[in-house]
Amino acid sequence: MDRTYREWPEAGPVRSWEAALPAGAAPFVQRVVPDGCADLMWLDGGLVVAGPDTGPMPSLMRPGARVGGVRFGPGAASAVLGVPADALRDARVPLRELWGAEADRLAERVAGAADRRIALVTAVAARVRPVDPLDAAVVAGLARGTVRQVADEVGLSERQLRRRSLAAFGYGPKTLQRVLRFQRALGLARAGVPLADVAYRAGYADQAHLANEVRALGGAPIRALL
């Protein structure tokens, strides 16, 4: 039997997820690729924060493992976790380092719950806030324009936009734009769009540009990631 993975939409800019690997299966290494998100997950009996990544991160699943968590969309993690997103970039941090004893109490509740995913979602829900409209405008603007154009649209200098982006998303605006474009390309390719059309529709100069960016951010050709 293969590993399983499921996602559920939650309130606001949040999704929850759960993955499992049967006891009789071989160990499985998942390639986690940048998506602009941060996760709070239960792992090996504790709660761990996975910050926004800038490149592929291997994640080992052992036979019989069941893991899951809450995924915060771009700009949503800082209000919940209490730290700027760039403090978590490319990091895996025990929640206790951020919340102290409160994290230990939450870990105990989650470990003892009949449904750990629901227990974690319930605990996080009270802290979730809507993404700041300015941050949402940055994300939308970077999908269609340059960093300079976005800065003008939201009324910030490029330096101010960079500082705000680092704190909200964990990336400067140029890196955030690359990550969002990379995710658009993956979504189109998964939907069966030919790669030449993926490159054009996702905003790459050509298919070679797409291939280079996918290798840089995902660590493998796009067909391997799919």
Side-chain angles (χ1 to χ4, degrees), residues 31-36 53 55-57 182-183 186 190 217-219 225:
R31 186 193 305 268
V32 180
V33 298
D35 60 3
D53 296 323
M57 299 285 282
F182 167 66
Q183 284 294 326
L186 289 181
R190 289 191 183 107
L217 291 170
L225 297 181

Side-chain angles (χ1 to χ4, degrees), residues 195 199 204 206-218 220-222:
L195 293 185
Y204 292 96
D206 51 31
Q207 196 168 340
H209 185 202
L210 166 66
N212 290 337
E213 281 288 274
V214 168
R215 281 189 175 274
L217 291 170
I222 192 166

Side-chain angles (χ1 to χ4, degrees), residues 6 17 33 35-36 58 67 85 124 126 134 158-159 164 170 174 176 183 187 198 203:
R6 293 184 64 192
W17 58 273
V33 298
D35 60 3
V67 299
V124 165
L134 191 148
E158 289 188 52
R159 181 174 295 181
R164 183 165 187 126
K174 192 63 179 177
L176 176 62
Q183 284 294 326
V198 167

Side-chain angles (χ1 to χ4, degrees), residues 89-151:
R89 185 175 56 240
D90 291 327
R92 302 296 183 262
V93 180
L95 184 63
R96 195 179 197 287
E97 293 187 12
L98 306 181
W99 288 7
E102 183 181 353
D104 295 336
R105 293 190 292 270
L106 177 57
E108 290 177 4
R109 291 203 304 275
V110 171
D115 189 320
R116 290 179 294 181
R117 180 182 65 86
I118 295 297
L120 187 56
V121 168
T122 301
V124 165
R127 293 174 174 259
V128 173
R129 299 290 182 269
V131 174
D132 187 296
L134 191 148
D135 294 333
V138 169
V139 171
L142 290 173
R144 63 177 185 272
T146 67
V147 172
R148 176 172 292 182
Q149 288 169 338
V150 172

